[in-house]
């Protein structure tokens, strides 16, 4: 078996060697209770559930660049449906991660709720593992208090309020995670400032080579990979530090270059668009006007 696909809470419980779940669409399980029924070593796991996983310090230690974590009570890793992970060993043993846990829920749980429209806004579901959330003791207590409420709701006799209360507590948990990520960005201001500088240097270097002619305008995914981040994390980091997303930075950089070329050369608008990496000149003109209020020709004539 070179891959294993998880499509339901029941199937997840089976893979982890756990009893049948108490609720078909949501579960909270403890790492110490795992008794894996498969050897996951080297297996690609396609998980079609939303999952929040707590890893305790010392269990599969993670690195954040070359810096030590500043919060050591636990690390939260988030995955969205359809993401693929590859295990480098067997499922965690209880002595390695005695306090770890997993919150998993099926997309159907929230499909008809307001959270369904909001879920894509939690960009940390698409962060890489090295961009995980590191919690203080107080933050961990807050998260686990909400987990207790979720478990209590699905463990008792379900009534007409149960579904809404479970979803509301999941949403509140994710909102707290958003707050804690903001704290994490803030407490690493020096590191983040360095990343902003590297991003800007990388963008300048891209346009100093022939790469723009071969590959077109750089995208967020390319620049994020060069910096060893996911596109979502890089964009969120830049937004917190500068007020602008990675895509906005790229567009503003290109517009400034366009202004310089427009005022210092006689190149046609099409030639300038191609030189900046646009496949179609109209795309360049549309972006320029959306950012400056003028078409490239109008800007040239006014100045």
């Amino acid at each position: 078996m070179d891959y294993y696909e998880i499509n339901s809470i029941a199937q997840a419980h089976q893979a982890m060697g756990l009893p049948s779940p108490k609720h078909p669409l949501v579960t909270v399980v403890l790492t110490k209770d795992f008794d894996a029924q498969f050897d996951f070593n080297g297996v690609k796991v396609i998980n079609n559930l939303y999952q929040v996983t707590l890893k305790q310090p010392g269990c599969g230690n993670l690195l954040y660049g070359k810096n030590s974590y500043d919060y050591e009570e636990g690390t939260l890793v988030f995955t969205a449906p359809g993401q693929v992970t590859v295990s480098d060993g067997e499922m965690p043993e209880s002595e390695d991660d005695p306090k770890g846990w997993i919150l998993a829920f099926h997309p159907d749980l929230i499909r008809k709720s307001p959270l369904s429209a909001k879920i894509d806004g939690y960009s940390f579901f698409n962060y890489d593992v090295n961009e995980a959330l590191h919690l203080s003791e107080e933050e961990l207590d807050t998260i686990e208090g909400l987990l207790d409420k979720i478990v209590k709701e699905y463990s008792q006799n379900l009534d007409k309020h149960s579904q809404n209360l479970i979803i509301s507590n999941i949403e509140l948990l994710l909102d707290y995670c958003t707050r804690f990520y903001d704290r994490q960005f803030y407490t690493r201001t020096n590191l983040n400032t360095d990343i902003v500088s590297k991003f800007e240097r990388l963008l300048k270097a891209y346009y100093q080579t022939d790469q723009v002619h071969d590959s077109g305008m750089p995208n967020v995914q390319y620049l994020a990979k060069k910096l060893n981040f996911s596109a979502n994390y890089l964009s969120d980091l830049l937004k917190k530090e500068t007020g602008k997303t990675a895509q906005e930075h790229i567009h503003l950089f290109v517009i400034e270059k366009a202004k310089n070329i427009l005022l210092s050369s006689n190149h046609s608008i099409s030639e300038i668009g191609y030189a900046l990496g646009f496949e179609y000149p109209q795309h360049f003109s549309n972006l320029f006007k959306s950012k400056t209020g003028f078409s490239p020709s109008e800007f040239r004539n006014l100045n």
Side-chain angles (χ1 to χ4, degrees):
M1 179 193 302
D2 56 2
Y3 78 93
Y4 185 84
E5 189 167 7
I6 297 175
N7 294 306
S8 68
I9 297 295
Q11 191 177 4
H13 270 238
Q14 181 184 19
M16 292 182 284
L18 299 172
S20 297
K22 295 180 179 179
H23 192 289
L25 298 177
V26 60
T27 191
V28 176
V29 296
L30 302 179
T31 304
K32 66 182 181 64
D33 295 333
F34 289 0
D35 183 17
Q37 301 301 294
F38 306 97
D39 180 4
F40 284 92
N41 187 28
V43 174
K44 292 181 179 179
V45 178
I46 305 170
N47 191 351
N48 291 312
L49 308 172
Y50 287 100
Q51 188 165 300
V52 181
T53 303
L54 175 75
K55 294 172 68 68
Q56 290 296 114
C59 176
N61 202 23
L62 303 172
L63 293 176
Y64 182 91
K66 296 179 180 178
N67 299 272
S68 300
Y69 291 144
D70 40 17
Y71 282 72
E72 294 293 345
E73 293 307 316
T75 298
L76 289 187
V77 178
F78 303 81
T79 56
Q83 292 183 350
V84 179
T85 59
V86 180
S87 175
D88 58 2
E90 296 183 358
M91 300 291 279
E93 297 292 341
S94 58
E95 61 267 22
D96 293 330
D97 197 7
K99 296 182 180 179
W101 47 257
I102 292 174
L103 163 65
F105 58 97
H106 195 281
D108 285 350
L109 177 74
I110 64 170
R111 202 170 298 281
K112 295 181 180 181
S113 73
L115 181 56
S116 180
K118 184 180 177 182
I119 194 76
D120 289 341
Y122 298 109
S123 51
F124 45 74
F125 275 110
N126 291 296
Y127 287 177
D128 286 339
V129 171
N130 64 306
E131 301 157 348
L133 175 60
H134 312 294
L135 301 172
S136 68
E137 182 177 1
E138 183 178 354
E139 290 168 348
L140 181 58
D141 287 344
T142 298
I143 295 298
E144 293 189 335
L146 291 167
L147 280 184
D148 290 341
K149 292 180 180 179
I150 293 168
V151 173
K152 182 177 180 180
E153 280 301 323
Y154 72 61
S155 297
Q156 62 189 10
N157 292 330
L158 300 180
D159 58 32
K160 64 180 182 179
H161 303 289
S162 301
Q163 192 91 338
N164 286 338
L165 289 169
I166 290 170
I167 294 171
S168 294
N169 280 296
I170 291 175
E171 183 174 0
L172 187 55
L173 184 150
L174 297 177
D175 285 343
Y176 270 110
C177 290
T178 300
R179 167 186 277 183
F180 299 154
Y181 257 117
D182 283 349
R183 182 271 308 156
Q184 183 163 296
F185 281 121
Y186 177 77
T187 56
R188 292 172 176 168
T189 297
N190 291 338
L191 173 63
N192 294 345
T193 301
D194 185 47
I195 293 167
V196 173
S197 298
K198 288 180 180 178
F199 175 84
E200 292 173 346
R201 290 197 298 270
L202 187 61
L203 197 51
K204 290 177 183 177
Y206 186 91
Y207 275 93
Q208 292 172 349
T209 68
D210 292 332
Q211 200 165 358
V212 64
H213 302 296
D214 299 332
S215 304
M217 193 167 65
N219 57 35
V220 178
Q221 287 75 16
Y222 167 82
L223 296 169
K225 186 176 181 180
K226 286 289 185 179
L227 293 169
N228 296 315
F229 291 110
S230 66
N232 277 38
Y233 188 88
L234 175 63
S235 194
D236 288 348
L237 184 152
L238 291 173
K239 182 75 172 179
K240 297 293 190 304
E241 285 294 311
T242 68
K244 298 180 180 65
T245 65
Q247 189 65 65
E248 289 173 321
H249 274 278
I250 294 170
H251 285 167
L252 290 174
F253 179 86
V254 170
I255 294 303
E256 288 305 308
K257 285 191 70 68
K259 288 178 180 179
N260 292 335
I261 299 173
L262 283 165
L263 300 181
S264 63
S265 76
N266 293 319
H267 295 312
S268 69
I269 304 305
S270 294
E271 288 173 330
I272 295 172
Y274 288 132
L276 291 172
F278 290 87
E279 186 175 0
Y280 303 105
Q282 190 60 41
H283 291 173
F284 163 57
S285 296
N286 290 342
L287 177 65
F288 192 94
K289 186 163 187 176
S290 72
K291 298 298 182 182
T292 67
F294 302 101
S295 70
S297 297
E298 290 170 340
F299 179 85
R300 174 178 269 171
N301 293 333
L302 285 170
N303 293 276

